[in-house]
Amino acid sequence: MATLSSCTLLPLNSDFRFNPVRRSFRNKIHCHRLNSHVSQWGNLKHVGFDRFRCFSINNKDGVDAEGETGNNNDSKPNVTTTSPDEDKSTTPSVSQMSSLYSLESVYNEAILDSFKLMELLEPEKVDPADVKLIKDKLFGYSTFWVTREEPFGEYGEGVLFIGNLRGKREDVFSILQNRLVEAIGDKYRLFMLEEPESDSYDPRGGPRVSFGLALKEVFEPKGTTLWEYVIASLLFFLTIGTSVELGIASQISRLPLELVKFLKDPNYTQVPDMELLYPFVDSALPVAYGVLGVLLFHEVGHFLAAFPKRVKLGIPFFIPHITLGSFGAITQFKSVLPDRSTQVDISLAGPFAGSVLSFSMFAVGLLLSSNPDAAGDLVQVPSTLFQGSLLLGLISRATLGYAAIHAATVSIHPLVIAGWCGLTIQAFNMLPAGCLDGGRSVQGAFGKCAQGVFSLTTYLLLGLGVLGGPLSLAWGCFAIFAQMSPEKPCLDDVTEVGTWRQSFVAVAIFLAVLTLLPVSDELADELGIGLVNTFQF
């Protein structure tokens, strides 16, 4: 008679006990490898299990479950352990053995499924055969001599070649890109990056460079999906609603008293008849058109700058906001940027276009506010509104004059409100943080390290309320949760952008800070911005 042998895998330092007989049987066979075909999911060694429970029962056919001939000729089932210090053993039943089989099968399948899931979630890596081919075809003594290789990318999906540059970096990079296409087609993307953790500079000037290789499908952003179009459309319609609401709120001095109480007093619970708002919708449309026009001009600026560079942009996701009408839009790059100069140009084009239209409306609105012929179109706003921005408050003070600004309320044209909100939106987007336009510009102009320092400083100023006034917390949360991550590197992430681009970025950020810097009462009294009430005791 032969025996049927099996091994049941139990967790580390665990004892399997049969309750009816209240005796334990132990096995101290240590396991250093999981006996399953998981080579394609990586080498799995030293798994956290060190004991097997081994049983043997009779099999009339004389063949065990593995197809091997047994050596036990006893007619009764028995339990064999490898520990000689055990005096007695417990005899499990056939049903208990079946349950042990099922437990082992389920447990091993769960382990294998977890490795399959990890493999599916991880991006596809570069084929080692392609790496060898690319090293032989691309690099050499006359271009770039490879000394070692390291993982490249957020998940190590690419290969980073580190070595010594043998020529001018721009020329070498162009040669390597052409050789890559000739050797293997359009399957991979080659990046020229600063050598990580390098403590020396290239003898020809500038930082030492290395070259990263990654699959095109893995590194390039995916195309816009149908759901993204649906979500973007819904957000745009919501932005239209908040823009109209901004136009109605700008006429608060004309609204019925019950509407004003409902909008301003949180303790006022009586809901008024909303049909009272209908007569004010037509007069609210100029402000709504102005805000929406600024948003569209901003996005058109991005697309006009990206088109000559053959850079694809995703559909903009507008962020509605009650106070400003909108916080702007999130626009993703749908292709890898060729160089840092392109990154700066595309990032600055949007705020520049939006700022030009916003400032035009703001300036024309201030001029119309002083024109007696346009008195019927003016709206009354509190003079403290002009203390919300140091730059815009100074311009309003210089245009309207001291007497007009120091009244309790100031009569202004609705274009002033549209231009003011538009300039505030552009300033928020030009803050040097994360994937905002300002963050992308700083990353392209000064590098990723500078972008990290600027981002941390910006978040700190927003958290303290130094920038943006009452809107700082909302914008800071939006920037952190929606656009905190820096932009991916460009194909040529080393070549400098030039002094004039760096100067333009610095001036744009400086103007954005002045726009978002509120004016304290003491400074407002000295500059003559708004009516400051001082109480003397």
Side-chain angles (χ1 to χ4, degrees):
M1 302 290 288
T3 59
L4 174 64
S5 301
S6 69
C7 291
T8 302
L9 186 66
L10 293 181
L12 180 65
N13 297 328
S14 65
D15 295 325
F16 189 93
R17 301 177 183 271
F18 288 112
N19 291 332
V21 295
R22 298 181 180 274
R23 291 183 181 179
S24 66
F25 57 96
R26 306 187 178 195
N27 190 339
K28 296 182 179 179
I29 300 176
H30 293 274
C31 172
H32 70 281
R33 192 168 184 177
L34 184 64
N35 185 20
S36 59
H37 299 288
V38 292
S39 59
Q40 59 177 325
W41 301 289
N43 294 327
L44 184 64
K45 296 183 179 181
H46 305 290
V47 182
F49 301 92
D50 70 341
R51 296 184 182 180
F52 284 103
R53 298 294 182 263
C54 295
F55 309 98
S56 59
I57 63 175
N58 293 335
N59 188 340
K60 294 181 180 181
D61 297 332
V63 180
D64 58 14
E66 302 294 334
E68 298 177 356
T69 304
N71 297 322
N72 192 344
N73 296 323
D74 295 338
S75 59
K76 296 182 179 181
N78 57 61
V79 177
T80 304
T81 65
T82 60
S83 301
D85 55 341
E86 297 288 348
D87 296 330
K88 298 180 180 180
S89 61
T90 305
T91 304
S93 63
V94 175
S95 61
Q96 290 169 333
M97 289 300 300
S98 300
S99 64
L100 290 176
Y101 286 136
S102 61
L103 285 174
E104 177 187 6
S105 176
V106 171
Y107 195 81
N108 290 339
E109 289 179 1
I111 292 177
L112 298 181
D113 289 341
S114 65
F115 280 100
K116 291 180 181 178
L117 180 60
M118 291 172 61
E119 184 190 44
L120 291 175
L121 293 177
E122 288 183 356
E124 185 180 357
K125 296 186 178 181
V126 179
D127 188 354
D130 290 342
V131 174
K132 185 178 183 306
L133 176 63
I134 290 171
K135 282 183 62 178
D136 296 338
K137 296 291 185 180
L138 267 67
F139 305 108
Y141 182 79
S142 61
T143 54
F144 186 80
W145 187 260
V146 179
T147 57
R148 70 180 190 274
E149 303 169 15
E150 293 183 359
F152 169 64
E154 186 177 358
Y155 301 100
E157 63 272 22
V159 179
L160 184 67
F161 299 99
I162 299 177
N164 299 317
L165 191 66
R166 301 295 186 179
K168 189 178 179 181
R169 60 172 59 93
E170 292 83 1
D171 297 337
V172 171
F173 185 52
S174 178
I175 294 173
L176 295 180
Q177 284 183 313
N178 293 332
R179 289 181 179 178
L180 179 63
V181 174
E182 294 175 358
I184 208 163
D186 197 33
K187 182 179 179 181
Y188 292 99
R189 286 288 179 264
L190 188 67
F191 299 83
M192 185 169 64
L193 313 164
E194 292 188 17
E195 183 177 318
E197 301 179 359
S198 176
D199 54 356
S200 61
Y201 288 89
D202 191 274
R204 299 169 184 81
R208 294 179 60 88
V209 301
S210 55
F211 294 92
L213 183 73
L215 284 166
K216 175 184 176 182
E217 293 79 7
V218 172
F219 205 89
E220 286 192 351
K222 306 300 181 184
T224 305
T225 63
L226 177 61
W227 279 111
E228 289 178 331
Y229 282 109
V230 172
I231 295 174
S233 302
L234 293 176
L235 289 175
F236 180 69
F237 286 116
L238 288 175
T239 302
I240 294 176
T242 53
S243 300
V244 174
E245 185 273 339
L246 172 64
I248 294 175
S250 65
Q251 309 173 68
I252 194 168
S253 60
R254 300 178 179 177
L255 297 179
L257 182 60
E258 54 269 28
L259 282 175
V260 175
K261 289 182 178 180
F262 178 74
L263 295 175
K264 296 182 63 175
D265 189 0
N267 298 322
Y268 189 80
T269 58
Q270 185 177 355
V271 180
D273 186 6
M274 290 302 168
E275 292 183 358
L276 298 174
L277 290 175
Y278 294 164
F280 301 93
V281 172
D282 290 340
S283 55
L285 291 180
V287 176
Y289 292 152
V291 173
L292 293 174
V294 169
L295 296 176
L296 294 178
F297 258 63
H298 182 111
E299 299 307 317
V300 168
H302 282 314
F303 279 91
L304 290 179
F307 180 76
K309 304 290 185 177
R310 297 182 180 179
V311 174
K312 298 179 181 179
L313 299 180
I315 187 171
F317 295 88
F318 293 97
I319 310 300
H321 192 263
I322 296 177
T323 304
L324 294 176
S326 174
F327 261 151
I330 300 176
T331 306
Q332 299 175 330
F333 290 120
K334 291 298 182 180
S335 57
V336 181
L337 301 178
D339 49 45
R340 289 164 54 178
S341 297
T342 302
Q343 185 176 14
V344 173
D345 295 343
I346 297 176
S347 301
L348 287 179
F352 178 77
S355 297
V356 169
L357 180 59
S358 299
F359 188 77
S360 300
M361 291 190 297
F362 181 69
V364 171
L366 289 177
L367 295 177
L368 291 176
S369 300
S370 304
N371 188 357
D373 296 335
D377 298 328
L378 304 184
V379 295
Q380 301 290 326
V381 297
S383 59
T384 54
L385 170 68
F386 298 95
Q387 299 178 18
S389 170
L390 176 60
L391 179 61
L392 302 184
L394 287 174
I395 296 175
S396 302
R397 162 70 175 80
T399 306
L400 298 179
Y402 181 85
I405 288 292
H406 275 68
T409 59
V410 182
S411 299
I412 59 174
H413 195 274
L415 283 177
V416 176
I417 298 176
W420 186 296
C421 292
L423 288 172
T424 304
I425 294 171
Q426 308 311 307
F428 271 125
N429 281 271
M430 267 307 299
L431 288 178
C435 273
L436 300 175
D437 292 328
R440 289 171 172 174
S441 302
V442 169
Q443 182 177 342
F446 304 103
K448 185 173 290 188
C449 293
Q451 193 263 0
V453 175
F454 275 90
S455 295
L456 182 61
T457 304
T458 302
Y459 294 137
L460 181 62
L461 294 177
L462 289 173
L464 296 176
V466 177
L467 297 177
L471 298 177
S472 60
L473 181 60
W475 180 255
C477 293
F478 165 74
I480 289 176
F481 291 105
Q483 293 187 299
M484 183 176 181
S485 301
E487 197 60 52
K488 290 183 178 180
C490 307
L491 292 176
D492 180 3
D493 208 47
V494 179
T495 304
E496 299 291 340
V497 300
T499 305
W500 72 271
R501 279 190 175 90
Q502 293 178 339
S503 302
F504 201 93
V505 171
V507 170
I509 293 176
F510 178 71
L511 293 176
V513 171
L514 289 182
T515 303
L516 298 177
L517 189 64
V519 185
S520 62
D521 290 343
E522 295 79 5
L523 183 59
D525 191 32
E526 294 181 5
L527 298 177
I529 301 176
L531 179 62
V532 180
N533 295 321
T534 57
F535 299 93
Q536 298 181 355
F537 296 93

